[in-house]
């Protein structure tokens, strides 16, 4: 009997799994070395404790419930994954198997527990879960999904990102069955825009035939009917027999990026067209000025020259020349007016007095020519604008007033210049017909585009706010630091 006890003791102590015996009050009565190593306590310390002292508070109710079922004869044993509290305060995850030892009379004697430390596995699980979550977050932020087709098993795995991009209810990564010779599941094939479907299928067939990767942009129609643009990329993987066994790839929603690219391309085209238009305008202005100088000034100077010749002859003949001199003075006055008109068109002299005076002059001229109220409202400290900025702002106000005169049918116009918060805002508002900005953007023309480019060149921003029958407001914002001479 002594030999048997010694053998049992040796086996008990050498067992790789932690073993414990608890009395019916839960106090430890016997523990082996593996159990002590798992929790970091000595046997003597554990003998003064119960399983409740080393069980994580959140897991204690489950343990108590299982023990109660043992004692009620509902089951003979149970297994449970639970957390233990180590002596150093850390947590040990363990798989515990508990059975009930009975006396010869069938009365409960001990709770026999065997634990296997699964903390390393839990650490791996947590790391894997964190990695999967990190990948999921990266795909969500990048609007990306990944997939992999097993052509031999006729299955396809989708990530959650695939469902998100297609506007389908979010699901865990799922294995989708491929039917027949299909390489794309119906769920995705149906989402491809009808006009792009054949292109996508041909691209995939070509990639499989050539055993090479593929990439293409195409449109999809989401479950809610919204049309989006995606970038699909895939890579065939060969099996041991040299045939394609798998195709792995990604799908990324690039709608916003594609929109930006199209906007940039459209802007470049507009700028090229604007450059050509500006050259045309400059050339047309040169032609007009040349014609005015030739026709208007030429006629008057020729008349002046002929008049002087006649005057000379009449003077030599002793005739009265006062009337002739008056006529020549009138011609000279007309010539001066022509010169002043041409000069004003090239650069209004009022700009030499500053932008504020020039704007007042524009408002007064607008009131006189179009019989429309035009008020000027200046707020904040007066500013002296640098010459290029003053000229640009003057032209923008001039162009805005011309647009009001041509299109707005307005009753009043307000030109406001506000200097506050280190920014200067110049706005031109009218109470006229207004327009739909979205419609105007689609029409050819360079009025607003030209004004916007002028303001951007100064480091400012131009805003246009308008609606049908609600008037129009054109506003320019400039940082104060850009304005000082």
């Amino acid at each position: 009997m002594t030999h048997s006890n010694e053998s049992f003791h040796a086996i008990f102590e050498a067992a790789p799994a932690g073993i414990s015996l608890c009395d019916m009050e839960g106090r430890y009565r016997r523990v082996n070395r593996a159990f002590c190593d798992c929790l970091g306590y000595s046997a003597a310390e554990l003998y003064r404790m119960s399983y409740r002292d080393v069980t994580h508070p959140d897991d204690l109710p489950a343990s108590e419930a299982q023990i109660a079922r043992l004692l009620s004869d509902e089951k003979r044993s149970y297994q449970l994954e639970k957390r233990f509290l180590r002596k150093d305060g850390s947590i040990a995850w363990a798989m515990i198997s508990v059975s009930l030892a009975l006396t010869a009379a069938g009365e409960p004697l001990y709770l026999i527990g065997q634990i296997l430390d699964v903390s390393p596995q839990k650490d791996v699980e947590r790391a894997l879960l964190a990695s999967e979550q990190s990948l999921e977050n990266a795909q969500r932020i990048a609007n990306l999904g990944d997939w992999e087709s097993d052509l031999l098993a006729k299955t396809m795995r989708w990530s959650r990102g695939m469902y998100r991009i297609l506007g389908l209810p979010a699901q865990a990564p799922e294995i989708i069955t491929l039917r027949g010779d299909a390489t794309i599941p119906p769920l995705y094939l149906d989402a491809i825009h009808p006009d792009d479907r054949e292109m996508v299928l041909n691209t995939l067939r070509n990639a499989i035939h050539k055993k090479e990767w593929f990439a293409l942009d195409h449109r999809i129609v989401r479950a809610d009917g919204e049309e989006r643009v995606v970038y699909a990329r895939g890579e065939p993987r060969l099996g041991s027999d040299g045939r394609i066994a798998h195709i792995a790839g990604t799908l990324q929603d690039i709608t916003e990026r594609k929109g930006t690219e199209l906007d940039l391309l459209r802007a470049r085209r507009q700028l090229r067209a604007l450059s050509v238009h500006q050259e045309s305008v400059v050339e047309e202005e040169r032609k007009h000025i040349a014609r005015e100088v030739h026709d208007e000034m030429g006629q008057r100077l020729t008349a002046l020259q002929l008049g002087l010749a006649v005057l000379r002859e009449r003077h030599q003949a002793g005739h009265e020349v006062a009337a002739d001199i008056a006529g020549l003075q009138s011609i000279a006055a007309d010539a001066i007016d022509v010169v002043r008109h041409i000069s004003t068109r090239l650069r209004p002299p009022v700009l030499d007095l500053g932008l504020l005076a020039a704007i007042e002059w524009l408002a007064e001229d607008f009131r006189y020519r179009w019989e429309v109220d035009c008020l000027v409202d200046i707020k904040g400290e007066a500013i002296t604008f640098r010459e290029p900025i003053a000229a640009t702002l003057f032209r923008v106000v001039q162009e805005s007033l011309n647009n009001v005169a041509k299109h707005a049918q307005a009753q009043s116009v307000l030109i406001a210049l506000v200097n506050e918060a280190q920014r200067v805002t110049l706005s031109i508002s009218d109470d006229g017909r207004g327009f739909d900005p979205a419609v105007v953007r689609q029409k050819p023309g360079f009025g607003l585009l030209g004004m916007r480019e002028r303001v951007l060149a100064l480091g400012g921003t131009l805003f246009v706010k308008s609606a049908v029958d609600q008037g129009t407001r054109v506003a320019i914002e400039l940082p104060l630091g850009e304005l000082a001479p």
Side-chain angles (χ1 to χ4, degrees):
M1 189 67 178
T2 301
H3 176 72
S4 298
N5 287 338
E6 290 177 353
S7 297
F8 173 78
H9 179 75
I11 293 171
F12 184 83
E13 286 297 326
I19 304 175
S20 67
L21 273 69
C22 290
D23 61 23
M24 300 317 298
E25 293 182 359
R27 293 190 299 269
Y28 288 111
R29 292 305 183 185
R30 187 80 179 268
V31 293
N32 70 351
R33 183 180 304 123
F35 192 89
C36 294
D37 291 343
C38 181
L39 300 186
Y41 289 100
S42 66
E45 289 172 321
L46 287 170
Y47 293 155
R48 296 192 296 270
M49 304 170 71
S50 78
Y51 72 85
R52 299 178 184 88
D53 298 322
V54 293
T55 298
H56 193 285
D58 293 343
D59 295 345
L60 187 57
S63 295
E64 299 279 10
Q66 292 288 354
I67 293 172
R69 295 181 68 184
L70 280 181
L71 296 176
S72 65
D73 290 332
E74 289 185 36
K75 56 196 310 184
R76 304 286 298 182
S77 64
Y78 71 85
Q79 279 192 339
L80 183 67
E81 191 175 78
K82 60 181 280 188
R83 289 165 289 181
F84 285 91
L85 302 177
R86 289 192 178 106
K87 183 178 180 179
D88 62 6
S90 62
I91 293 174
W93 278 92
M95 178 63 72
I96 182 169
S97 299
V98 179
S99 57
L100 184 63
L102 303 176
T103 66
E107 295 296 324
L109 181 61
Y110 290 115
L111 292 170
I112 304 172
Q114 299 180 62
I115 65 170
L116 181 64
D117 190 349
V118 295
S119 296
Q121 293 93 317
K122 280 293 182 180
D123 290 340
V124 171
E125 288 179 11
R126 280 194 295 270
L128 180 59
L129 183 62
S131 178
E132 290 177 349
Q133 188 61 50
S134 178
L135 178 60
E136 169 68 18
N137 289 337
Q139 290 196 357
R140 177 178 51 79
I141 294 169
N143 226 341
L144 184 74
D146 73 283
W147 53 269
E148 184 172 357
S149 294
D150 186 334
L151 301 186
L152 302 180
K154 291 295 180 181
T155 59
M156 187 177 195
R157 178 193 59 78
W158 274 17
S159 70
R160 288 187 180 89
M162 294 290 292
Y163 292 94
R164 183 170 53 247
I165 291 172
L166 297 180
L168 298 170
Q171 299 184 38
E174 183 176 335
I175 302 300
I176 303 170
T177 301
L178 298 174
R179 296 187 178 89
D181 296 329
T183 53
I184 299 178
L187 199 61
Y188 183 67
L189 188 62
D190 292 343
I192 300 174
H193 193 285
D195 294 343
D196 294 352
R197 197 167 292 156
E198 193 62 30
M199 174 189 67
V200 174
L201 291 173
N202 287 338
T203 299
L204 188 56
R205 293 190 196 106
N206 188 56
I208 293 174
H209 176 71
K210 295 183 178 181
K211 300 178 181 179
E212 62 184 17
W213 65 272
F214 66 90
L216 77 160
D217 297 347
H218 69 85
R219 292 167 294 173
I220 61 170
V221 180
R222 288 163 49 98
D224 59 5
E226 182 185 5
E227 186 176 306
R228 307 286 291 179
V229 181
V230 296
Y231 172 65
R233 183 182 177 93
E235 178 185 62
R237 296 174 180 173
L238 304 182
S240 57
D241 59 357
R243 294 188 300 173
I244 295 176
H246 297 82
I247 304 176
T250 59
L251 189 74
Q252 185 175 21
D253 189 328
I254 59 168
T255 306
E256 283 71 27
R257 188 181 79 191
K258 204 71 176 177
T260 301
E261 290 175 359
L262 292 175
D263 288 343
L264 182 59
L265 181 62
R266 191 180 301 112
R268 286 175 176 169
R269 288 174 178 167
Q270 284 182 331
L271 287 177
R272 283 194 293 269
L274 177 61
S275 177
V276 172
H277 174 72
Q278 294 288 62
E279 287 295 323
S280 173
V281 169
V282 170
E283 188 58 36
E284 189 64 31
E285 189 68 14
R286 288 171 179 163
K287 186 194 302 183
H288 185 76
I289 292 172
R291 186 180 296 116
E292 282 198 55
V293 170
H294 179 270
D295 294 346
E296 301 292 336
M297 284 291 293
Q299 289 178 12
R300 284 164 176 76
L301 291 175
T302 299
L304 188 61
Q305 186 179 38
L306 291 174
L308 288 172
V310 171
L311 180 63
R312 179 179 180 183
E313 291 176 0
R314 290 174 63 82
H315 178 69
Q316 289 175 348
H319 294 288
E320 179 61 41
V321 295
D324 296 326
I325 292 175
L328 292 178
Q329 286 177 327
S330 177
I331 293 173
D334 288 345
I336 292 171
D337 287 340
V338 170
V339 170
R340 185 180 294 114
H341 174 68
I342 294 173
S343 174
T344 300
R345 288 191 57 183
L346 292 175
R347 186 183 186 280
V350 72
L351 266 176
D352 293 334
L353 302 177
L355 178 63
L356 302 184
I359 290 176
E360 292 279 6
W361 176 79
L362 276 176
E364 182 63 32
D365 182 66
F366 184 83
R367 281 193 294 268
Y368 176 76
R369 291 172 58 195
W370 301 104
E371 297 182 351
V372 174
D373 287 339
C374 187
L375 303 177
V376 178
D377 184 21
I378 310 295
K379 293 181 179 178
E381 186 177 348
I383 306 170
T384 302
F385 294 88
R386 289 190 288 115
E387 172 60 27
I389 294 177
T392 297
L393 296 180
F394 176 84
R395 294 301 181 191
V396 170
V397 175
Q398 188 178 47
E399 180 71 19
S400 298
L401 292 177
N402 287 340
N403 288 337
V404 173
K406 291 178 183 177
H407 310 294
Q409 297 181 9
Q411 300 299 313
S412 64
V413 178
L414 174 64
I415 304 172
L417 183 64
V418 180
N419 173 15
E420 61 182 8
Q422 296 300 306
R423 297 190 71 80
V424 171
T425 302
L426 174 62
S427 63
I428 304 94
S429 306
D430 69 73
D431 60 358
R433 297 168 55 190
F435 58 88
D436 184 346
V439 173
V440 170
R441 277 195 293 269
Q442 304 302 319
K443 293 182 178 180
F446 300 96
L448 289 175
L449 179 61
M451 286 194 289
R452 181 170 281 111
E453 292 303 316
R454 287 193 189 107
V455 174
L456 282 174
L458 300 179
T461 308
L462 183 138
F463 304 93
V464 179
K465 182 179 180 181
S466 186
V468 176
D469 296 328
Q470 295 185 30
T472 300
R473 182 177 185 267
V474 177
I476 303 163
E477 285 190 0
L478 287 169
L480 195 56
E482 300 289 332
L483 309 179

